[in-house]
Structures are given as structure tokens and as C-alpha cells.
PDB file of all heavy atoms in Angstrom:
ATOM      1  N   ASN A   1      67.835 186.841 146.675  1.00  0.00           N
ATOM      2  CA  ASN A   1      68.873 186.643 147.699  1.00  0.00           C
ATOM      3  C   ASN A   1      70.270 186.727 147.107  1.00  0.00           C
ATOM      4  O   ASN A   1      71.176 187.314 147.714  1.00  0.00           O
ATOM      5  CB  ASN A   1      68.670 185.301 148.407  1.00  0.00           C
ATOM      6  CG  ASN A   1      67.466 185.334 149.317  1.00  0.00           C
ATOM      7  OD1 ASN A   1      67.011 186.388 149.739  1.00  0.00           O
ATOM      8  ND2 ASN A   1      66.930 184.153 149.619  1.00  0.00           N
ATOM      9  N   TRP A   2      70.469 186.148 145.932  1.00  0.00           N
ATOM     10  CA  TRP A   2      71.776 186.193 145.286  1.00  0.00           C
ATOM     11  C   TRP A   2      72.149 187.638 144.947  1.00  0.00           C
ATOM     12  O   TRP A   2      73.272 188.081 145.211  1.00  0.00           O
ATOM     13  CB  TRP A   2      71.775 185.315 144.030  1.00  0.00           C
ATOM     14  CG  TRP A   2      73.039 185.413 143.256  1.00  0.00           C
ATOM     15  CD1 TRP A   2      74.241 184.852 143.569  1.00  0.00           C
ATOM     16  CD2 TRP A   2      73.242 186.142 142.042  1.00  0.00           C
ATOM     17  NE1 TRP A   2      75.174 185.189 142.613  1.00  0.00           N
ATOM     18  CE2 TRP A   2      74.581 185.971 141.671  1.00  0.00           C
ATOM     19  CE3 TRP A   2      72.407 186.904 141.229  1.00  0.00           C
ATOM     20  CZ2 TRP A   2      75.108 186.544 140.521  1.00  0.00           C
ATOM     21  CZ3 TRP A   2      72.940 187.484 140.085  1.00  0.00           C
ATOM     22  CH2 TRP A   2      74.279 187.294 139.748  1.00  0.00           C
ATOM     23  N   LEU A   3      71.199 188.401 144.386  1.00  0.00           N
ATOM     24  CA  LEU A   3      71.482 189.791 144.023  1.00  0.00           C
ATOM     25  C   LEU A   3      71.809 190.659 145.229  1.00  0.00           C
ATOM     26  O   LEU A   3      72.744 191.461 145.184  1.00  0.00           O
ATOM     27  CB  LEU A   3      70.278 190.394 143.301  1.00  0.00           C
ATOM     28  CG  LEU A   3      70.280 190.283 141.801  1.00  0.00           C
ATOM     29  CD1 LEU A   3      68.998 190.829 141.227  1.00  0.00           C
ATOM     30  CD2 LEU A   3      71.473 190.976 141.206  1.00  0.00           C
ATOM     31  N   VAL A   4      71.042 190.525 146.284  1.00  0.00           N
ATOM     32  CA  VAL A   4      71.310 191.308 147.494  1.00  0.00           C
ATOM     33  C   VAL A   4      72.721 190.995 148.002  1.00  0.00           C
ATOM     34  O   VAL A   4      73.475 191.902 148.360  1.00  0.00           O
ATOM     35  CB  VAL A   4      70.234 191.041 148.570  1.00  0.00           C
ATOM     36  CG1 VAL A   4      70.640 191.642 149.910  1.00  0.00           C
ATOM     37  CG2 VAL A   4      68.889 191.598 148.122  1.00  0.00           C
ATOM     38  N   ASN A   5      73.099 189.743 147.978  1.00  0.00           N
ATOM     39  CA  ASN A   5      74.442 189.332 148.401  1.00  0.00           C
ATOM     40  C   ASN A   5      75.509 189.937 147.487  1.00  0.00           C
ATOM     41  O   ASN A   5      76.530 190.440 147.965  1.00  0.00           O
ATOM     42  CB  ASN A   5      74.536 187.806 148.429  1.00  0.00           C
ATOM     43  CG  ASN A   5      75.842 187.329 148.999  1.00  0.00           C
ATOM     44  OD1 ASN A   5      76.444 187.978 149.847  1.00  0.00           O
ATOM     45  ND2 ASN A   5      76.291 186.179 148.541  1.00  0.00           N
ATOM     46  N   VAL A   6      75.295 189.898 146.190  1.00  0.00           N
ATOM     47  CA  VAL A   6      76.254 190.460 145.232  1.00  0.00           C
ATOM     48  C   VAL A   6      76.438 191.958 145.481  1.00  0.00           C
ATOM     49  O   VAL A   6      77.554 192.467 145.536  1.00  0.00           O
ATOM     50  CB  VAL A   6      75.799 190.200 143.778  1.00  0.00           C
ATOM     51  CG1 VAL A   6      76.566 191.067 142.792  1.00  0.00           C
ATOM     52  CG2 VAL A   6      75.963 188.726 143.427  1.00  0.00           C
ATOM     53  N   PHE A   7      75.346 192.679 145.668  1.00  0.00           N
ATOM     54  CA  PHE A   7      75.433 194.123 145.873  1.00  0.00           C
ATOM     55  C   PHE A   7      76.031 194.479 147.224  1.00  0.00           C
ATOM     56  O   PHE A   7      76.676 195.506 147.361  1.00  0.00           O
ATOM     57  CB  PHE A   7      74.058 194.781 145.696  1.00  0.00           C
ATOM     58  CG  PHE A   7      73.762 195.130 144.267  1.00  0.00           C
ATOM     59  CD1 PHE A   7      73.264 194.174 143.404  1.00  0.00           C
ATOM     60  CD2 PHE A   7      73.991 196.404 143.786  1.00  0.00           C
ATOM     61  CE1 PHE A   7      72.985 194.479 142.083  1.00  0.00           C
ATOM     62  CE2 PHE A   7      73.724 196.725 142.469  1.00  0.00           C
ATOM     63  CZ  PHE A   7      73.221 195.755 141.613  1.00  0.00           C
ATOM     64  N   GLN A   8      75.840 193.646 148.228  1.00  0.00           N
ATOM     65  CA  GLN A   8      76.420 193.928 149.542  1.00  0.00           C
ATOM     66  C   GLN A   8      77.930 193.730 149.547  1.00  0.00           C
ATOM     67  O   GLN A   8      78.631 194.364 150.324  1.00  0.00           O
ATOM     68  CB  GLN A   8      75.790 193.033 150.607  1.00  0.00           C
ATOM     69  CG  GLN A   8      74.383 193.439 150.971  1.00  0.00           C
ATOM     70  CD  GLN A   8      73.732 192.471 151.951  1.00  0.00           C
ATOM     71  OE1 GLN A   8      74.207 191.367 152.165  1.00  0.00           O
ATOM     72  NE2 GLN A   8      72.622 192.902 152.527  1.00  0.00           N
ATOM     73  N   HIS A   9      78.449 192.874 148.681  1.00  0.00           N
ATOM     74  CA  HIS A   9      79.873 192.546 148.688  1.00  0.00           C
ATOM     75  C   HIS A   9      80.667 193.211 147.559  1.00  0.00           C
ATOM     76  O   HIS A   9      81.849 192.952 147.412  1.00  0.00           O
ATOM     77  CB  HIS A   9      80.062 191.028 148.628  1.00  0.00           C
ATOM     78  CG  HIS A   9      79.592 190.349 149.877  1.00  0.00           C
ATOM     79  ND1 HIS A   9      78.337 189.813 150.003  1.00  0.00           N
ATOM     80  CD2 HIS A   9      80.202 190.169 151.072  1.00  0.00           C
ATOM     81  CE1 HIS A   9      78.193 189.302 151.213  1.00  0.00           C
ATOM     82  NE2 HIS A   9      79.303 189.517 151.888  1.00  0.00           N
ATOM     83  N   ASN A  10      80.015 194.038 146.757  1.00  0.00           N
ATOM     84  CA  ASN A  10      80.699 194.703 145.646  1.00  0.00           C
ATOM     85  C   ASN A  10      80.244 196.157 145.564  1.00  0.00           C
ATOM     86  O   ASN A  10      79.083 196.465 145.811  1.00  0.00           O
ATOM     87  CB  ASN A  10      80.377 194.006 144.317  1.00  0.00           C
ATOM     88  CG  ASN A  10      80.892 192.590 144.291  1.00  0.00           C
ATOM     89  OD1 ASN A  10      82.082 192.352 144.171  1.00  0.00           O
ATOM     90  ND2 ASN A  10      79.995 191.636 144.431  1.00  0.00           N
ATOM     91  N   GLU A  11      81.163 197.017 145.190  1.00  0.00           N
ATOM     92  CA  GLU A  11      80.853 198.432 145.021  1.00  0.00           C
ATOM     93  C   GLU A  11      80.381 198.658 143.583  1.00  0.00           C
ATOM     94  O   GLU A  11      81.111 199.132 142.722  1.00  0.00           O
ATOM     95  CB  GLU A  11      82.095 199.276 145.312  1.00  0.00           C
ATOM     96  CG  GLU A  11      81.833 200.742 145.330  1.00  0.00           C
ATOM     97  CD  GLU A  11      83.105 201.531 145.576  1.00  0.00           C
ATOM     98  OE1 GLU A  11      84.013 201.024 146.239  1.00  0.00           O
ATOM     99  OE2 GLU A  11      83.165 202.660 145.088  1.00  0.00           O
ATOM    100  N   ILE A  12      79.138 198.320 143.315  1.00  0.00           N
ATOM    101  CA  ILE A  12      78.589 198.368 141.968  1.00  0.00           C
ATOM    102  C   ILE A  12      77.868 199.699 141.756  1.00  0.00           C
ATOM    103  O   ILE A  12      76.971 200.047 142.502  1.00  0.00           O
ATOM    104  CB  ILE A  12      77.608 197.204 141.731  1.00  0.00           C
ATOM    105  CG1 ILE A  12      78.317 195.868 141.909  1.00  0.00           C
ATOM    106  CG2 ILE A  12      76.981 197.306 140.341  1.00  0.00           C
ATOM    107  CD1 ILE A  12      77.386 194.670 141.877  1.00  0.00           C
ATOM    108  N   GLU A  13      78.294 200.426 140.719  1.00  0.00           N
ATOM    109  CA  GLU A  13      77.615 201.664 140.365  1.00  0.00           C
ATOM    110  C   GLU A  13      77.053 201.626 138.957  1.00  0.00           C
ATOM    111  O   GLU A  13      76.202 202.436 138.616  1.00  0.00           O
ATOM    112  CB  GLU A  13      78.547 202.851 140.541  1.00  0.00           C
ATOM    113  CG  GLU A  13      78.830 203.132 142.003  1.00  0.00           C
ATOM    114  CD  GLU A  13      79.531 204.456 142.210  1.00  0.00           C
ATOM    115  OE1 GLU A  13      79.740 205.196 141.231  1.00  0.00           O
ATOM    116  OE2 GLU A  13      79.877 204.747 143.370  1.00  0.00           O
ATOM    117  N   LYS A  14      77.552 200.720 138.138  1.00  0.00           N
ATOM    118  CA  LYS A  14      77.049 200.509 136.783  1.00  0.00           C
ATOM    119  C   LYS A  14      77.115 199.024 136.516  1.00  0.00           C
ATOM    120  O   LYS A  14      78.021 198.342 136.989  1.00  0.00           O
ATOM    121  CB  LYS A  14      77.899 201.261 135.757  1.00  0.00           C
ATOM    122  CG  LYS A  14      77.879 202.753 135.941  1.00  0.00           C
ATOM    123  CD  LYS A  14      78.814 203.428 134.985  1.00  0.00           C
ATOM    124  CE  LYS A  14      78.873 204.913 135.256  1.00  0.00           C
ATOM    125  NZ  LYS A  14      79.876 205.576 134.421  1.00  0.00           N
ATOM    126  N   LEU A  15      76.147 198.534 135.731  1.00  0.00           N
ATOM    127  CA  LEU A  15      76.068 197.099 135.528  1.00  0.00           C
ATOM    128  C   LEU A  15      75.850 196.778 134.059  1.00  0.00           C
ATOM    129  O   LEU A  15      74.994 197.372 133.397  1.00  0.00           O
ATOM    130  CB  LEU A  15      74.920 196.526 136.358  1.00  0.00           C
ATOM    131  CG  LEU A  15      74.821 195.032 136.504  1.00  0.00           C
ATOM    132  CD1 LEU A  15      76.061 194.456 137.191  1.00  0.00           C
ATOM    133  CD2 LEU A  15      73.591 194.667 137.308  1.00  0.00           C
ATOM    134  N   VAL A  16      76.640 195.837 133.553  1.00  0.00           N
ATOM    135  CA  VAL A  16      76.464 195.288 132.220  1.00  0.00           C
ATOM    136  C   VAL A  16      75.980 193.855 132.422  1.00  0.00           C
ATOM    137  O   VAL A  16      76.605 193.088 133.142  1.00  0.00           O
ATOM    138  CB  VAL A  16      77.797 195.285 131.426  1.00  0.00           C
ATOM    139  CG1 VAL A  16      77.611 194.629 130.072  1.00  0.00           C
ATOM    140  CG2 VAL A  16      78.340 196.698 131.292  1.00  0.00           C
ATOM    141  N   ILE A  17      74.846 193.527 131.808  1.00  0.00           N
ATOM    142  CA  ILE A  17      74.305 192.178 131.939  1.00  0.00           C
ATOM    143  C   ILE A  17      74.331 191.512 130.575  1.00  0.00           C
ATOM    144  O   ILE A  17      73.737 192.009 129.609  1.00  0.00           O
ATOM    145  CB  ILE A  17      72.871 192.182 132.497  1.00  0.00           C
ATOM    146  CG1 ILE A  17      72.816 192.862 133.862  1.00  0.00           C
ATOM    147  CG2 ILE A  17      72.332 190.753 132.592  1.00  0.00           C
ATOM    148  CD1 ILE A  17      71.417 192.982 134.445  1.00  0.00           C
ATOM    149  N   GLU A  18      75.035 190.397 130.507  1.00  0.00           N
ATOM    150  CA  GLU A  18      75.127 189.631 129.271  1.00  0.00           C
ATOM    151  C   GLU A  18      73.840 188.837 129.058  1.00  0.00           C
ATOM    152  O   GLU A  18      73.352 188.176 129.969  1.00  0.00           O
ATOM    153  CB  GLU A  18      76.306 188.665 129.354  1.00  0.00           C
ATOM    154  CG  GLU A  18      76.373 187.693 128.212  1.00  0.00           C
ATOM    155  CD  GLU A  18      77.183 186.450 128.541  1.00  0.00           C
ATOM    156  OE1 GLU A  18      77.697 186.332 129.649  1.00  0.00           O
ATOM    157  OE2 GLU A  18      77.262 185.595 127.654  1.00  0.00           O
ATOM    158  N   ILE A  19      73.302 188.925 127.857  1.00  0.00           N
ATOM    159  CA  ILE A  19      72.168 188.085 127.484  1.00  0.00           C
ATOM    160  C   ILE A  19      72.744 186.918 126.691  1.00  0.00           C
ATOM    161  O   ILE A  19      73.223 187.084 125.574  1.00  0.00           O
ATOM    162  CB  ILE A  19      71.136 188.845 126.644  1.00  0.00           C
ATOM    163  CG1 ILE A  19      70.599 190.035 127.431  1.00  0.00           C
ATOM    164  CG2 ILE A  19      70.004 187.910 126.213  1.00  0.00           C
ATOM    165  CD1 ILE A  19      69.661 190.919 126.644  1.00  0.00           C
ATOM    166  N   GLY A  20      72.725 185.749 127.306  1.00  0.00           N
ATOM    167  CA  GLY A  20      73.278 184.554 126.668  1.00  0.00           C
ATOM    168  C   GLY A  20      72.176 183.641 126.174  1.00  0.00           C
ATOM    169  O   GLY A  20      71.162 184.088 125.642  1.00  0.00           O
ATOM    170  N   SER A  21      72.353 182.352 126.398  1.00  0.00           N
ATOM    171  CA  SER A  21      71.375 181.374 125.917  1.00  0.00           C
ATOM    172  C   SER A  21      70.052 181.457 126.677  1.00  0.00           C
ATOM    173  O   SER A  21      68.995 181.201 126.114  1.00  0.00           O
ATOM    174  CB  SER A  21      71.952 179.964 126.005  1.00  0.00           C
ATOM    175  OG  SER A  21      72.297 179.673 127.346  1.00  0.00           O
ATOM    176  N   ASP A  22      70.099 181.800 127.956  1.00  0.00           N
ATOM    177  CA  ASP A  22      68.875 182.001 128.736  1.00  0.00           C
ATOM    178  C   ASP A  22      68.498 183.474 128.624  1.00  0.00           C
ATOM    179  O   ASP A  22      69.079 184.327 129.289  1.00  0.00           O
ATOM    180  CB  ASP A  22      69.085 181.607 130.195  1.00  0.00           C
ATOM    181  CG  ASP A  22      67.823 181.708 131.028  1.00  0.00           C
ATOM    182  OD1 ASP A  22      66.828 182.284 130.550  1.00  0.00           O
ATOM    183  OD2 ASP A  22      67.829 181.220 132.173  1.00  0.00           O
ATOM    184  N   VAL A  23      67.531 183.774 127.788  1.00  0.00           N
ATOM    185  CA  VAL A  23      67.173 185.156 127.501  1.00  0.00           C
ATOM    186  C   VAL A  23      66.393 185.798 128.642  1.00  0.00           C
ATOM    187  O   VAL A  23      66.537 186.987 128.911  1.00  0.00           O
ATOM    188  CB  VAL A  23      66.370 185.227 126.179  1.00  0.00           C
ATOM    189  CG1 VAL A  23      65.880 186.625 125.904  1.00  0.00           C
ATOM    190  CG2 VAL A  23      67.218 184.727 125.036  1.00  0.00           C
ATOM    191  N   VAL A  24      65.594 185.040 129.350  1.00  0.00           N
ATOM    192  CA  VAL A  24      64.721 185.596 130.378  1.00  0.00           C
ATOM    193  C   VAL A  24      65.480 185.959 131.657  1.00  0.00           C
ATOM    194  O   VAL A  24      65.223 187.007 132.263  1.00  0.00           O
ATOM    195  CB  VAL A  24      63.557 184.626 130.685  1.00  0.00           C
ATOM    196  CG1 VAL A  24      62.723 185.111 131.848  1.00  0.00           C
ATOM    197  CG2 VAL A  24      62.679 184.451 129.450  1.00  0.00           C
ATOM    198  N   LEU A  25      66.414 185.134 132.097  1.00  0.00           N
ATOM    199  CA  LEU A  25      67.118 185.362 133.364  1.00  0.00           C
ATOM    200  C   LEU A  25      67.750 186.748 133.474  1.00  0.00           C
ATOM    201  O   LEU A  25      67.607 187.401 134.514  1.00  0.00           O
ATOM    202  CB  LEU A  25      68.152 184.264 133.616  1.00  0.00           C
ATOM    203  CG  LEU A  25      68.943 184.376 134.914  1.00  0.00           C
ATOM    204  CD1 LEU A  25      68.010 184.357 136.127  1.00  0.00           C
ATOM    205  CD2 LEU A  25      69.977 183.258 135.006  1.00  0.00           C
ATOM    206  N   PRO A  26      68.434 187.265 132.464  1.00  0.00           N
ATOM    207  CA  PRO A  26      68.996 188.618 132.598  1.00  0.00           C
ATOM    208  C   PRO A  26      67.938 189.687 132.869  1.00  0.00           C
ATOM    209  O   PRO A  26      68.158 190.609 133.648  1.00  0.00           O
ATOM    210  CB  PRO A  26      69.680 188.858 131.253  1.00  0.00           C
ATOM    211  CG  PRO A  26      69.997 187.497 130.758  1.00  0.00           C
ATOM    212  CD  PRO A  26      68.873 186.626 131.222  1.00  0.00           C
TER     213      PRO A  26
END
């Protein structure tokens, strides 16, 4: 649900995902 909301409200064509302390979530 969070991702669908993010993509509906932003013009995203490329994505950089930071891998921080929680390795699995990204």
C-alpha cells in the first residue's frame, strides 16, 4: 500500500534504494 501510494504521487522513472541497517526491507 505504501509503495502504490508513493508511485501514484511521484513521477518515478528510476529508483535508488539505500540498504541501511535493515537489510531485508529494501
Side-chain angles (χ1 to χ4, degrees):
N1 288 338
W2 175 75
L3 268 176
V4 169
N5 186 30
V6 165
F7 273 83
Q8 286 175 345
H9 292 95
N10 296 286
E11 187 182 331
I12 300 172
E13 290 191 4
K14 298 175 185 174
L15 191 61
V16 176
I17 302 177
E18 172 202 0
I19 300 175
S21 59
D22 184 348
V23 175
V24 174
L25 181 59

